[in-house]
Amino acid sequence: MTKKFLAALVLVMILAFSAYADQVVRLGVTGSVYDEMWAPAKELLAKEGITLEVIQFTDYVTPNRALADGDIDLNGFQHQIYFADELQSRGYKLTNIANTFVVPLNLYSIKVKKLDEIKDGDVIAIPNDPTNGGRAIKVLATSGLITLKKDAGFNPAKEDIEKYNVKITIQELAANTIPSALPDIAAGVINDTYALDYGLKASDAVFEDQAREHEYWNLIAARTSDLADPAKVELYSKVVKAYQSPEMKEALSKLYGGFFRPVGWDEDLLAPFKK
């Protein structure tokens, strides 16, 4: 080998190593709790030369649009039923690549301490997106505040309410605004990340959600087109492995007291895309 050839080979190896070392994955989330939650995974990925950037969004609509548009590489903020609705209604070409956790959707209040203190005329807020709104309505039904029609589907709407056992008014608000609305309403059904951002704990709930169905499992999503690239599949597999790690499991238990419950970590959803 000539000196020129060896120099060129060394340069190629340096560039290849640099490209690997400089790998960046941009992950879209909603709620500052994810910065803390993903910290153990970020540390594990950093040891492999991968920088995980957690990108904050303030609503549930933007992260899937940003992923579809290529502004981020992955997102991890939604459950299965919301994801399916987004794909159907907006035509996004996205794929679930990993299960993460399941959390309750609880009823909170700063005005009443017990469920039976809610009275006729009180206003109860629920998320205004169809999937979380439907889940919130089921929470109200389970609590006994309302009764649903027998033919109500898995994701009911207000029209599926047969009877108001307590004559409450259900007000639909953007999910991220419900915590700040608590001073003006009797109670609100609040999504996990927004509850935590507001300083609420699961133990503060007036009524705790009992649903643990597969449809409410949260997930990590990627662009479907990216999964045709073996290099990206390998990279995303490392992100999934870092999340579904003993370090993350310990952090979820220690930091949130069981609020976020790991589910489906034994399922390799990227297996069909590995070559």
Side-chain angles (χ1 to χ4, degrees):
M1 293 186 186
T2 66
K3 291 183 178 180
K4 186 179 290 186
F5 177 81
L6 286 172
L9 181 60
V10 170
L11 179 61
V12 168
M13 292 176 66
I14 291 173
L15 291 174
F17 177 79
S18 299
Y20 172 78
D22 292 337
Q23 287 184 101
V24 176
V25 178
R26 297 161 298 170
L27 172 78
V29 301
T30 56
S32 60
V33 65
Y34 286 105
D35 289 318
E36 180 182 54
M37 178 190 297
W38 275 85
K42 288 179 70 172
E43 291 181 10
L44 292 172
L45 290 168
K47 293 177 182 177
E48 298 192 61
I50 301 168
T51 299
L52 182 70
E53 293 184 356
V54 178
I55 310 298
Q56 286 289 342
F57 294 92
T58 59
D59 61 75
Y60 284 160
V61 177
T62 313
N64 281 328
R65 184 190 307 139
L67 180 57
D69 291 344
D71 297 328
I72 55 177
D73 303 301
L74 304 170
N75 69 39
F77 74 100
Q78 62 197 319
H79 53 49
Q80 309 256 6
I81 191 169
Y82 181 85
F83 183 61
D85 182 75
E86 284 275 281
L87 300 189
Q88 181 177 4
S89 62
R90 302 180 188 274
Y92 294 141
K93 304 301 181 183
L94 309 175
T95 297
N96 173 12
I97 65 167
N99 302 310
T100 54
F101 56 80
V102 63
V103 295
L105 189 65
N106 294 335
L107 181 67
Y108 294 94
S109 175
I110 61 175
K111 291 189 173 181
V112 302
K113 299 295 184 183
K114 299 179 181 179
L115 184 67
D116 59 13
E117 294 176 15
I118 296 175
K119 61 186 184 305
D120 292 352
D122 280 346
V123 175
I124 307 292
I126 66 171
N128 64 359
D129 62 273
T131 52
N132 286 299
R135 186 180 177 188
I137 287 174
K138 291 200 291 187
V139 170
L140 297 182
T142 305
S143 75
L145 291 172
I146 62 173
T147 299
L148 292 174
K149 298 175 182 177
K150 291 183 179 180
D151 59 353
F154 179 83
N155 199 49
K158 288 170 66 175
E159 294 75 22
D160 295 308
I161 298 174
E162 181 176 70
K163 181 183 178 183
Y164 287 82
N165 301 315
V166 179
K167 295 179 175 57
I168 58 173
T169 296
I170 297 177
Q171 184 176 8
E172 296 171 309
L173 300 174
N176 62 322
T177 68
I178 297 178
S180 59
L182 286 179
D184 303 314
I185 58 178
V189 180
I190 303 177
N191 297 75
D192 56 300
T193 53
Y194 297 136
L196 285 166
D197 284 350
Y198 195 73
L200 296 169
K201 299 178 291 186
S203 58
D204 295 328
V206 174
F207 180 78
E208 183 177 351
D209 175 24
Q210 305 299 315
R212 298 291 184 269
E213 294 101 324
H214 182 275
E215 289 83 355
Y216 297 131
W217 290 10
N218 279 53
L219 58 92
I220 300 172
R223 277 183 301 282
T224 304
S225 59
D226 280 356
L227 302 180
D229 182 344
K232 288 187 176 179
V233 171
E234 181 181 1
L235 177 60
Y236 296 164
S237 293
K238 291 176 180 178
V239 175
V240 172
K241 183 179 179 181
Y243 188 92
Q244 296 176 343
S245 64
E247 291 86 345
M248 279 295 302
K249 188 173 184 180
E250 181 181 359
L252 290 175
S253 176
K254 182 178 179 181
L255 293 173
Y256 310 112
F259 206 107
F260 295 88
R261 304 178 185 181
V263 286
W265 288 15
D266 58 335
E267 299 179 15
D268 184 1
L269 302 186
L270 280 171
F273 306 99
K274 296 176 181 176
K275 296 180 181 179

